[in-house]
Amino acid sequence: MWHKLWILCLFLGYLPTKVQAEGKLLWEDCVWIGMERSGSLGLEQVRSEIFPTLTRDKWKQYLPKLGVHYFGIFSKNQEQIDQEYRDVRLQIQQLLYDGGETEREKQKINLRKLIHSEEKKLLREKIFKAISLSYLNFNKRQLVDFVYQLRSERYKEETKKRKKETDLGLFPQAELSFLKVWEVEFQSKKIHSESSRKLAYLELRQTMSLDPEMDLILEGGLTERIRLYDPTVVPSVPNENHPLRKKSRLQMELAELDQESLDNDWKPKLVLGGYVGKNGNAGFPLQNEIYGLSLGVQANLGGTSFQSNTQNGIQSEGNGIQRIPGYGPQPVGPGENAFQSGSIGLFDDAGRNKKVFDVKMSVLQAKTEWKQSEIHFINQIQSAEVKLTELYRKYVLYLENTKSNLFHHRVKREERREGLISELDYLKSEEEVFIGMETLLDHYFQYIATALDLVLLLGEDPFDNRYYRLESKLISGDLTEILKVWKENPSREKSKIKEPKLGKQYPFLME
């Protein structure tokens, strides 16, 4: 199931210490270590911490805004009366109504958070897949190289035996020259196999983000832990909640929410304010109490802005100063003081038409990408199914072919021991087994890699699904038996070097 993989990935993100690549590692161990050490996942985890902060900031729009304000004027000029004025007040503002814009902004932040969460899942899937494919490739290269090594050891043993037979004049020179050509080709393939294994090892270390000084030793016997299933038995069902599909849907919702914000920007914003404090003309402590209320209105009508502000205040005693936005400080006396202001900016938002166009294009693009993503996603699954069926059928085909070649090769081995066939015929028989086995291993690991890609799209467990299962214990399978037969050393059959036949000795007395 999809949630199993993400639970595993989340678990990896909260490990208290760095995992070290020590001991013999299984497939699961390599994935855990590689994902825990991934710098990209660490960066995404840090980046996700910004969303709670942004949400809290939007929540603050609902809270009253408090502030302490101090204002002072001092005038000590020649031939004028000295003036001193101080004003200290506690101010408060509360947003009453904004047309739902703050709530929409919170929804946008939440959508961006969800999109980022799906992007992290896609990144985890990408890293999981990269480590797994490198692990499978390294295991394949190890097995192929092992097959080459066994064949090389056998050939060395046969070369020693052939040298003795050549010294006795029992091995044809024509075959000897052909074997030299064959040996060059074989050694070239063997060198390439060793290089491929080393490169696959380095690639696995890189995908696991291992430091150069860290050891990496894998547990062998992967083919003895995996059980393959026929992919045509159970039809696949696309996963509705795959991060790729979910991300496209969320992006479309975000674009539609941007359009909704633009469509509702005509709704006015109402802000209620007030103040309470003291002022005076004789220094501290201040003598006169002051307080008042204000109401502000802002609106946008198709690019034309409207702004209005009303304030009513009370001065208890003495003279004070009322600060009017746009007009500066004005003197006031005891009693009620009020002012009203308003302004209209005609078509002061020159870029509004472009904003409308950009938002509509964003919605259209998001819907188009969602549709294309759905088509691409389904096509990926269907293509993987076709490829998987082909690989499984080829795997079964080469499996039976390799079994047949092994059987005939055993017969050839007996015939060679009895001297019924030449060394050249025997090597040709072994070559058929060798090539077939290498092709079999290639299709075997290609099948697992393709199945892994498909199960990630379907949201199934990458270690236990309808296409293969990673067993906790070693099991015996067809491929395991083939490799076991291939390991058999024919030299243990005590094949003897042919001795020259000696004629009967005639007694000297009969000469």
Side-chain angles (χ1 to χ4, degrees), residues 180 251 373:
K180 288 293 183 182
Q251 286 176 328
S373 176

Side-chain angles (χ1 to χ4, degrees), residues 168-368:
L168 294 174
L170 301 175
F171 195 84
Q173 292 295 328
E175 285 194 19
L176 189 62
S177 60
F178 178 84
L179 289 173
K180 288 293 183 182
V181 176
W182 178 90
E183 184 176 0
V184 170
E185 294 178 355
F186 174 76
Q187 291 298 333
S188 175
K189 293 179 181 179
K190 183 173 176 293
I191 292 171
H192 176 72
S193 175
E194 291 175 356
S195 298
S196 299
R197 175 179 56 81
K198 293 177 181 178
L199 290 174
Y201 175 78
L202 294 175
E203 181 185 0
L204 178 58
R205 290 182 61 90
Q206 180 178 344
T207 56
M208 291 176 63
S209 302
L210 296 182
D211 298 329
E213 66 275 7
M214 298 180 70
D215 295 326
L216 175 60
I217 304 175
L218 300 184
E219 186 71 51
L222 176 65
T223 57
E224 298 178 62
R225 294 183 62 213
I226 293 184
R227 190 188 303 274
L228 302 187
Y229 301 115
D230 188 346
T232 60
V233 175
V234 181
S236 61
V237 179
N239 178 32
E240 291 293 332
N241 291 319
H242 187 277
L244 197 62
R245 305 180 77 180
K246 199 170 180 181
K247 177 186 173 183
S248 297
R249 294 198 299 266
L250 291 171
Q251 286 176 328
M252 187 168 57
E253 291 180 25
L254 181 60
E256 291 174 345
L257 203 54
D258 285 334
Q259 185 176 32
E260 184 180 341
S261 293
L262 192 62
D263 293 339
N264 286 273
D265 68 343
W266 61 270
K267 294 181 179 180
K269 293 183 180 180
L270 303 178
V271 180
L272 179 64
Y275 67 90
V276 60
K278 285 187 176 185
N279 61 23
N281 305 100
F284 292 101
L286 303 178
Q287 305 84 32
N288 309 317
E289 295 182 355
I290 55 174
Y291 54 90
L293 292 174
S294 65
L295 179 65
V297 180
Q298 295 178 2
N300 185 9
L301 302 174
T304 297
S305 63
F306 170 76
Q307 187 172 2
S308 175
N309 191 27
T310 300
Q311 179 170 304
N312 291 294
I314 300 294
Q315 173 84 24
S316 63
E317 297 291 340
N319 296 320
I321 293 179
Q322 183 171 261
R323 291 172 295 280
I324 302 174
Y327 296 92
Q330 302 293 325
V332 295
E336 183 178 350
N337 305 287
F339 73 85
Q340 297 86 33
S341 66
S343 63
I344 297 178
L346 298 175
F347 309 108
D348 56 351
D349 190 358
R352 178 174 174 78
N353 290 333
K354 186 178 183 304
K355 290 180 183 178
V356 174
F357 177 79
D358 289 342
V359 167
K360 288 183 177 179
M361 284 299 299
S362 297
V363 174
L364 181 61
Q365 183 178 359
K367 290 182 177 180
T368 303

Side-chain angles (χ1 to χ4, degrees), residues 2-48:
W2 188 258
H3 66 279
K4 294 181 180 178
L5 176 59
W6 303 131
I7 289 174
L8 178 142
C9 295
L10 287 173
F11 168 75
L12 295 176
Y14 291 97
L15 290 178
T17 58
K18 288 288 185 182
V19 180
Q20 300 295 323
E22 297 177 353
K24 293 187 176 181
L25 305 179
L26 301 172
W27 181 358
E28 308 93 309
D29 302 323
C30 292
V31 169
W32 294 344
I33 293 172
M35 294 185 70
E36 197 275 337
R37 293 182 60 84
S38 172
S40 300
L41 282 177
L43 288 175
E44 291 303 317
Q45 182 63 33
V46 173
R47 190 174 288 115
S48 63

